[in-house]
């Protein structure tokens, strides 16, 4: 997320996309230059987990956060802040999740680990289709009181404040919306 924001701020990218969840909903406020940016919520969705056949949840139709919070978890995220435990909200830190998290920088790495372990991967609705192997299952996490957050992810578009998107950028955003948001 911070890399996407920085790329747009530096002018290396004109638009950026990232998924923000309730745990890091205010993560852009720290950046003193964030006022130079505009953030637009394109879509919202609930939490999911991805699991492989060795997971005890593999045959389940849904799970509760309380059931999976103590499992070994993997993440497709290589931001330095994530690896330094700055990414997680206080409830997750109290749950001790940072001690059981393994970070990968490729989808294939996540997929391999899911297929060969009982780990879970929290995912958003926009990323659940990225696993090619049909043995990786996606299971919704039920909205419940024991979630440390509201249980919502947001797909965010970031642009520089006051700059209009050109026609190509608008078309690209529309294609992203059609492909990932069903609009």
């Amino acid at each position: 997320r911070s890399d996407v924001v920085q790329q747009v701020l530096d002018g290396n990218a004109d638009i950026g996309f990232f998924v923000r969840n309730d745990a890091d909903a205010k993560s852009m406020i720290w950046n003193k230059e964030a006022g130079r940016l505009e953030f637009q919520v394109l879509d919202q969705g609930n939490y999911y987990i991805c699991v492989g056949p060795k997971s005890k949840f593999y045959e389940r139709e849904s799970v509760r956060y309380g059931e999976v919070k103590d499992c070994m978890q993997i993440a497709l995220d290589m931001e330095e802040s994530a690896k330094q435990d700055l990414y997680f909200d206080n409830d997750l830190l109290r749950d001790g999740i940072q001690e059981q998290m393994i970070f990968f920088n490729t989808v294939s790495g996540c997929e391999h680990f899911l297929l060969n372990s009982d780990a879970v991967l929290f995912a958003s609705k926009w990323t659940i289709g990225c696993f090619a192997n049909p043995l990786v299952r996606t299971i919704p996490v039920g909205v419940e009181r024991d979630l440390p957050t509201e249980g919502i992810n947001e797909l965010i578009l970031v642009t520089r404040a006051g700059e209009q998107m050109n026609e190509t950028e608008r078309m690209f955003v529309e294609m992203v919306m059609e492909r990932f948001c069903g609009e």
Side-chain angles (χ1 to χ4, degrees), residues 49-172:
I49 59 166
C50 295
V51 296
K54 294 184 178 185
S55 171
K56 64 184 177 183
F57 305 110
Y58 192 72
E59 297 297 329
R60 299 277 297 273
E61 295 302 316
S62 67
V63 296
R64 294 174 52 87
Y65 172 76
E67 294 176 286
V68 296
K69 71 180 177 107
D70 294 327
C71 295
M72 180 189 316
Q73 295 184 26
I74 63 174
L76 179 59
D77 193 338
M78 291 302 292
E79 286 188 20
E80 200 57 38
S81 61
K83 292 186 284 183
Q84 294 176 6
D85 303 332
L86 302 175
Y87 171 79
F88 303 105
D89 74 349
N90 291 335
D91 289 333
L92 291 174
L93 287 172
R94 280 191 292 276
D95 287 343
I97 199 171
Q98 77 279 7
E99 296 172 5
Q100 56 204 29
M101 182 73 89
I102 300 171
F103 293 91
F104 291 91
N105 64 354
T106 65
V107 170
S108 61
C110 289
E111 185 175 89
H112 178 78
F113 201 77
L114 286 171
L115 292 171
N116 292 290
S117 74
D118 62 348
V120 300
L121 166 75
F122 277 89
S124 67
K125 76 177 195 175
W126 313 282
T127 58
I128 58 177
C130 66
F131 295 105
N133 192 312
L135 293 177
V136 174
R137 290 203 59 227
T138 301
I139 303 168
V141 177
V143 177
E144 56 181 272
R145 295 279 183 221
D146 73 340
L147 275 172
T149 62
E150 295 297 318
I152 299 294
N153 289 304
E154 297 174 322
L155 180 61
I156 304 291
L157 169 67
V158 59
T159 57
R160 283 182 295 283
E163 292 185 18
Q164 299 295 318
M165 287 190 287
N166 64 37
E167 184 61 28
T168 302
E169 293 164 345
R170 279 193 297 275
M171 288 174 54
F172 183 74

Side-chain angles (χ1 to χ4, degrees), residues 33-57:
E33 297 185 272
R36 295 180 35 214
L37 298 171
E38 292 179 6
F39 298 93
Q40 179 184 352
V41 177
L42 298 178
D43 197 16
Q44 293 184 334
N46 292 329
Y47 290 113
Y48 294 84
I49 59 166
C50 295
V51 296
K54 294 184 178 185
S55 171
K56 64 184 177 183
F57 305 110

Side-chain angles (χ1 to χ4, degrees), residues 20-40:
R20 175 174 69 186
N21 63 39
D22 299 328
D24 61 4
K26 297 179 181 175
S27 62
M28 298 308 130
I29 293 174
W30 65 266
N31 190 323
K32 65 182 178 195
E33 297 185 272
R36 295 180 35 214
L37 298 171
E38 292 179 6
F39 298 93
Q40 179 184 352

